[in-house]
């Protein structure tokens, strides 16, 4: 078995001899000079580690987009309830598919996640397209869906919204 070599340490020391401080299993880690290598923390970023501060409450832009999805889902539910027959209710449901999926995304806004934000933006964009189509058929509800879709996309495309969805979740 070879022993570590250190200047001033006699390699021929017998068993039971203690090596100089800093070598061998008996030495602790001891103080390190300033700027010495520090092992990374095992549990993710800590305060003061250079990570940007994480938002603790949902920003107003995200909350507003969430409320708009909730309002649109309520209007869809009201339209289905007042449809009168199953054929009209089915047509409303089919045309409102982007609103329904956007509502499901809005339910998950508190958990964050960039995929959730992207999905909400995609379905708000589909709301815009469906709104244009409905306006082309002279349906006044198309204007509401168009305007809500545009506002939701603008709200979710802002930097503070992106930071909310990108934050580190516990």
């Amino acid at each position: 078995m070879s022993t570590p070599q250190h200047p001033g340490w006699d390699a021929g020391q017998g068993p039971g001899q203690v090596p100089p401080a800093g070598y061998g299993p008996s030495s602790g880690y001891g103080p390190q000079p300033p700027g010495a290598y520090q092992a990374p923390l095992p549990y993710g970023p800590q305060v003061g580690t250079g990570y940007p501060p994480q938002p603790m409450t949902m920003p107003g832009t995200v909350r507003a987009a969430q409320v708009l999805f909730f309002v649109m889902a309520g209007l869809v539910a009201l339209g289905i309830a007042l449809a009168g027959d199953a054929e009209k209710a089915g047509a409303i449901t089919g045309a409102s598919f982007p609103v329904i999926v956007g509502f499901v995304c809005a339910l998950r806004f508190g958990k964050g996640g960039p995929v959730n934000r992207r999905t909400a933006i995609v379905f708000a964009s589909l709301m815009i397209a469906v709104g244009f189509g409905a306006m082309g058929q002279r349906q006044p509800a198309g204007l509401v869906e168009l305007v809500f879709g545009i506002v939701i996309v603008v709200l979710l495309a802002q930097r503070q919204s992106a930071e909310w969805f990108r934050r580190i979740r516990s």
Side-chain angles (χ1 to χ4, degrees), residues 53-64 66 108-112 159-170:
Q54 301 296 313
M56 298 305 288
T57 59
M58 189 181 299
T61 55
V62 177
R63 179 69 70 191
Q66 185 181 42
R108 299 183 45 82
F109 279 5
K111 297 198 188 302
R159 183 182 337 151
Q160 67 188 65
S161 297
E163 288 172 358
W164 170 256
F165 287 99
R166 243 190 338 252
R167 78 190 188 285
I168 298 170
R169 297 173 300 279
S170 55

Side-chain angles (χ1 to χ4, degrees), residues 72-161:
M72 281 301 298
L75 291 174
V76 167
L78 182 64
I80 291 170
L82 298 176
D85 64 2
E87 187 175 332
K88 286 182 184 176
I92 292 171
T93 303
S96 301
F97 179 72
V99 174
I100 295 167
V101 175
F103 173 75
V104 172
C105 286
L107 290 173
R108 299 183 45 82
F109 279 5
K111 297 198 188 302
V115 173
N116 193 25
R117 175 177 167 258
R118 280 180 256 167
T119 304
I121 289 174
V122 165
F123 281 95
S125 300
L126 288 174
M127 285 172 54
I128 295 169
V130 170
F132 273 128
M135 285 178 47
Q137 296 175 354
R138 299 178 190 231
Q139 295 175 356
L143 180 62
V144 174
E145 195 165 4
L146 172 71
V147 170
F148 274 45
I150 290 171
V151 172
I152 290 170
V153 168
V154 168
L155 289 171
L156 292 178
Q158 294 182 5
R159 183 182 337 151
Q160 67 188 65
S161 297

